[in-house]
Amino acid sequence: GKLSDRHGRRPILLISTAGAALSYVLFAIGSGFENHTAALVALLVSRIFAGACGGNITVAQAYIADISRPEERSKRMGLIGMAFGLGFIFGPAISGVALKFGGATAPGWTAAALCAANFILAFSILAESLKPESGHASSRPHLAQWGHTLSQPRIGLLIFIFFLATFAFS
């Protein structure tokens, strides 16, 4: 999020999307290794790299906030949630079909191809949303910010419930 405030939303989204594609290429290559130790190391490195590149959800949300009128913002943020939900539903099915018809490396190559298509689409049509005149949010020390947020009963309860749901899902 802070990088996108400094360098713009578009470059950070493009870099993270390209990184995700590269991580899935490594995943596909590692899935084909005969040496199980080497395969495990390659898969672990690919997932660590994907995790580093996958932190772009805050940038996507900032992009949506930048381009949306206030009355449309919650609807458009809901689309991000819907996209995640659809990914959780269709992702395993697509991976299973790829595995059945393409072998052990096919899920990685399929994910890499989807990420590469996402990169090409974003590169082609995504304009920079951060305006030079946009002000930055004032920052508080992290602990004070958490304390302020959690001290509001309704917000604190929602955060706690979200934490429990995510923890249980994980």
Side-chain angles (χ1 to χ4, degrees):
K2 287 184 180 184
L3 283 174
S4 75
D5 287 342
R6 204 172 308 136
H7 302 289
R9 315 280 189 232
R10 184 176 189 267
I12 301 303
L13 285 170
L14 291 175
I15 289 168
S16 64
T17 304
L22 291 175
S23 75
Y24 283 117
V25 167
L26 180 57
F27 187 90
I29 292 169
S31 296
F33 287 165
E34 293 294 325
N35 179 329
H36 297 301
T37 303
L40 184 61
V41 169
L43 295 178
L44 181 63
V45 169
S46 79
R47 298 314 302 149
I48 289 170
F49 187 57
C53 295
N56 62 2
I57 185 65
T58 57
V59 181
Q61 289 172 331
Y63 190 93
I64 295 295
D66 289 345
I67 65 168
S68 302
R69 293 191 312 266
E71 61 272 7
E72 294 179 335
R73 199 164 289 148
S74 61
K75 175 183 164 186
R76 291 188 175 185
M77 291 292 180
L79 290 175
I80 292 176
M82 183 185 73
F84 266 94
L86 290 173
F88 281 126
I89 292 168
F90 292 113
I94 292 169
S95 180
V97 169
L99 182 64
K100 179 175 172 104
F101 293 108
T105 62
W109 291 117
T110 302
L114 289 170
C115 287
N118 187 19
F119 173 82
I120 291 167
L121 186 64
F123 185 81
S124 301
I125 65 171
L126 198 65
E128 179 57 60
S129 68
L130 185 64
K131 306 289 185 253
E133 66 274 1
S134 296
H136 297 292
S138 61
S139 61
R140 286 183 275 213
H142 294 292
L143 290 178
Q145 190 172 14
W146 274 102
H148 171 74
T149 302
L150 293 174
S151 69
Q152 300 176 34
R154 290 182 181 171
I155 302 288
L157 179 63
L158 284 174
I159 290 172
F160 181 68
I161 291 170
F162 183 75
F163 168 78
L164 287 179
T166 305
F167 184 76
F169 182 77
S170 297

